[in-house]
Amino acid sequence: GEDVEQSLFLSVREGDSSVINCTYTDSSSTYLYWYKQEPGAGLQLLTYIFSNMDMKQDQRLTVLLNKKDKHLSLRIADTQTGDSAIYFCAATIQGGKLIFGQGTELSVKP
Amino acid sequence: DTEVTQTPKHLVMGMTNKKSLKCEQHMGHRAMYWYKQKAKKPPELMFVYSYEKLSINESVPSRFSPECPNSSLLNLHLHALQPEDSALYLCASSRDRSNYGYTFGSGTRLTVV
């Protein structure tokens, strides 16, 4: 069945870049999303990329998509302590579903 | 308006109570969703509504009953819940079932006692 995978933890120092990786299995996924979730909060949409794009940049965020390898990454430049959260990658599949990865817990050390 | 609004933000209910969760969006989206999320886990899809009609029920127990009164509103009626149903309940919407513009609300944190 459809699956999305992410590494569970990432630890970086403040000011460094963070790269969170994600792989997915459904080659027909049209939209790929990145969400941020802080403790006790809902899901905040960070950015998304359409499947016919290979890169999208939005301020400190850069999304790279390798459709051939079904690999998606989120780069956060100049990572701050406020970026500490769980980051979910999600891929759309037919029928209105989003399939989520397990989430990557980003820890930013001062 | 680019938000999905959920009420209440927190809810504590007994196992014999009946309560409802509400979700509202004014983005003109025609697909709306209910998800359930346990702590530090990804959200799990419960129901999909497309053009006010239920299109997907992910084998959710009947103690959860969704309702879509109109294109802007989505309710989740709760009855005879169990403590293991305690979770964050998230509503989402998208333009349609193409999944463009998938936006989540901030959720209702439900505790069943």
Side-chain angles (χ1 to χ4, degrees):
Chain A
E2 303 87 0
D3 194 20
V4 175
E5 291 192 358
Q6 301 176 241
S7 53
L8 294 181
F9 300 100
L10 177 65
S11 180
V12 301
R13 291 226 172 265
E14 195 173 18
D16 288 349
S17 291
S18 307
V19 179
I20 303 172
N21 294 302
C22 170
T23 57
Y24 61 99
T25 57
D26 190 341
S27 58
S28 67
S29 292
T30 50
Y31 295 98
L32 297 136
Y33 289 89
W34 284 104
Y35 293 93
K36 175 184 180 183
Q37 189 170 38
E38 297 182 53
L43 290 173
Q44 175 193 351
L45 175 62
L46 285 179
T47 187
Y48 68 93
I49 190 166
F50 188 53
S51 57
N52 68 354
M53 299 166 67
D54 52 20
M55 186 181 95
K56 183 177 181 183
Q57 190 153 2
D58 184 1
Q59 300 183 334
R60 292 192 296 123
L61 305 178
T62 302
V63 179
L64 295 178
L65 174 62
N66 181 326
K67 196 173 179 184
K68 174 176 164 289
D69 295 338
K70 302 191 194 70
H71 181 267
L72 183 72
S73 68
L74 174 70
R75 178 177 180 268
I76 306 172
D78 186 25
T79 313
Q80 302 298 307
T81 54
D83 295 322
S84 293
I86 297 178
Y87 290 80
F88 288 100
C89 167
T92 60
I93 63 172
Q94 286 189 348
K97 293 185 183 184
L98 269 188
I99 301 296
F100 284 85
Q102 290 299 306
T104 299
E105 187 168 353
L106 175 64
S107 173
V108 183
K109 300 189 187 317
Chain B
D1 187 352
T2 58
E3 287 189 347
V4 174
T5 303
Q6 290 187 244
T7 55
K9 294 200 180 307
H10 300 275
L11 178 62
V12 179
M13 62 184 289
M15 289 188 283
T16 58
N17 291 160
K18 285 185 181 181
K19 296 286 185 184
S20 297
L21 309 184
K22 296 186 184 303
C23 174
E24 191 168 3
Q25 57 87 16
H26 296 287
M27 294 179 279
H29 286 176
R30 303 311 299 270
M32 296 186 76
Y33 313 85
W34 281 113
Y35 283 80
K36 173 183 177 180
Q37 188 184 27
K38 291 282 199 179
K40 295 201 170 187
K41 295 293 186 184
E44 299 173 352
L45 182 67
M46 299 174 72
F47 302 104
V48 178
Y49 271 84
S50 177
Y51 290 85
E52 296 98 70
K53 292 192 188 315
L54 182 66
S55 60
I56 296 176
N57 176 340
E58 291 285 292
S59 303
V60 178
S62 60
R63 57 186 185 269
F64 296 91
S65 175
E67 178 197 20
C68 190
N70 60 54
S71 61
S72 300
L73 291 174
L74 185 66
N75 299 321
L76 186 63
H77 302 299
L78 313 173
H79 173 55
L81 294 194
Q82 303 296 310
E84 58 265 29
D85 296 323
S86 298
L88 181 68
Y89 288 84
L90 293 163
C91 175
S93 70
S94 64
R95 183 176 64 184
D96 49 37
R97 283 174 61 179
S98 71
N99 297 322
Y100 176 72
Y102 220 108
T103 305
F104 282 84
S106 56
T108 294
R109 189 160 299 282
L110 174 68
T111 303
V112 181
V113 297

